[in-house]
Amino acid sequence: MPDERTEPGIGEGPAKAISVSLPEGTVQALRASAGGRGVSAIVATAVEEHLRNQATLAYLAEYEQEHGSFTAEEKQAAAGIWARAEEREGQWRAAG
């Protein structure tokens, strides 16, 4: 079935310039850490992560509303999966 979306999703579509105001110290630290990636790439990555996190929280709240709260065992299992995923991500980043 073809994708019927007409609007790009998070992280999709052409880049658009916007104006964002940040504290001077934050801008200095951002520029210092950006290196070859560039400030725009770092900001885009951070904003996309934030939006995906918000979408995940909304999905989980909707799921719990429909199916009831997650059990302690389910939360523990999810935490273990998340920890392993973060560990693997750290290994991938360290490998370059």
Side-chain angles (χ1 to χ4, degrees), residues 4-96:
E4 297 180 14
R5 288 186 306 161
T6 58
E7 296 293 321
I10 296 170
E12 300 175 339
K16 298 258 183 186
I18 65 169
S19 175
V20 177
S21 298
L22 298 170
E24 184 176 350
T26 302
V27 172
Q28 289 174 359
L30 181 58
R31 286 184 174 144
S33 75
R37 288 183 62 197
V39 170
S40 291
I42 291 175
V43 171
T45 299
V47 170
E48 289 166 14
E49 180 179 354
H50 171 77
L51 293 172
R52 286 187 178 103
N53 287 342
Q54 294 300 307
T56 299
L57 290 172
Y59 170 75
L60 291 173
E62 181 181 321
Y63 183 92
E64 285 190 305
Q65 188 173 23
E66 290 179 20
H67 303 282
S69 296
F70 291 104
T71 66
E73 293 81 16
E74 290 170 326
K75 289 178 182 180
Q76 186 175 12
I81 291 167
W82 192 264
R84 287 190 301 279
E86 286 184 330
E87 182 181 325
R88 289 187 71 184
E89 181 183 13
Q91 291 169 351
W92 294 333
R93 289 180 189 265

